[in-house]
Amino acid sequence: RINPEAESIAIVSADIPLLTPVSVDWVINKSLETNNDLTYCVIDQKVMEARFPESSRSYTRLKDINVCGGDLAVINLNLYTSNNEFWGKIFRARKSSFRQAALIGIDILFLLALRRITFNKLVLKVTRRLKIKGQGLICPYAEIGMDIDKPYQLELARRELT
């Protein structure tokens, strides 16, 4: 309604209070460099633990990298509105890469569970399975993934904001 010509929207989780304009701009600008249906961010465990050593995030262990999910994605409006039930399920499963993988395909779930797939191959397999153009970004900004699900994470965020 605000911009009827908009083709994409940024979906941002409400529990990332340390989000910065620089990190948001980076994701949005990266998504604008392509004509993808979906841009999804992850944060390398090393980046997250260097910036927030006490975060105790859970990580998805891939063949080449350990990552946690970012809480900012860019999605094409037509893609989202054409199958918002599916995307809603994916979004609700965001706390578990294994639940998301199970929604996309059992083969992807097994490759993920066995750590037999690299990040780039996973992105390729998922986008092919979903028949979309997409990219996975390894985000250099830990703030994109620093959500506050637990009391100690809230305290960490409070310390950062004071």
Side-chain angles (χ1 to χ4, degrees):
R1 285 179 259 178
I2 293 171
N3 181 359
E5 288 86 40
E7 294 179 9
S8 297
I9 58 169
I11 298 175
V12 185
S13 177
D15 64 347
I16 49 174
L18 302 177
L19 194 63
T20 63
V22 171
S23 60
V24 173
D25 286 347
W26 185 86
V27 174
I28 299 300
N29 289 331
K30 287 291 187 184
S31 73
L32 291 173
E33 290 174 5
T34 67
N35 189 26
N36 287 321
D37 299 314
L38 176 66
T39 299
Y40 181 75
C41 296
V42 296
I43 296 89
D44 184 328
Q45 181 176 1
K46 293 174 188 164
V47 169
M48 181 59 79
E49 290 180 352
R51 176 72 176 87
F52 300 110
E54 300 169 7
S55 66
S56 297
R57 288 296 313 265
S58 54
Y59 297 94
T60 299
R61 300 180 189 288
L62 301 171
K63 189 174 184 178
D64 59 340
I65 189 171
N66 296 338
V67 296
C68 63
D71 288 23
L72 171 58
V74 179
I75 188 167
N76 180 289
L77 276 170
N78 289 330
L79 175 66
Y80 182 77
T81 57
S82 69
N83 195 352
N84 59 2
E85 183 179 329
F86 172 75
W87 292 108
K89 286 180 184 177
I90 290 288
F91 180 74
R92 286 188 295 279
R94 72 189 179 283
K95 298 294 181 184
S96 170
S97 56
F98 291 108
R99 279 193 306 226
Q100 286 182 325
L103 289 168
I104 297 168
I106 197 76
D107 59 328
I108 294 172
L109 176 62
F110 282 123
L111 290 168
L112 197 60
L114 298 173
R115 295 182 64 187
R116 303 285 291 173
I117 193 163
T118 65
F119 178 71
N120 289 332
K121 292 251 172 139
L122 179 62
V123 170
L124 184 63
K125 226 172 178 14
V126 167
T127 55
R128 281 185 181 163
R129 178 68 45 83
L130 297 177
K131 297 180 179 142
I132 63 170
K133 292 186 295 180
Q135 69 178 334
L137 294 178
I138 300 175
C139 182
Y141 298 99
E143 294 82 1
I144 294 284
M146 188 56 237
D147 55 18
I148 49 172
D149 293 334
K150 298 171 182 76
Y152 67 86
Q153 292 169 330
L154 175 60
E155 286 307 313
L156 187 152
R158 284 183 174 148
R159 285 194 309 268
E160 287 286 322
L161 292 170
T162 56

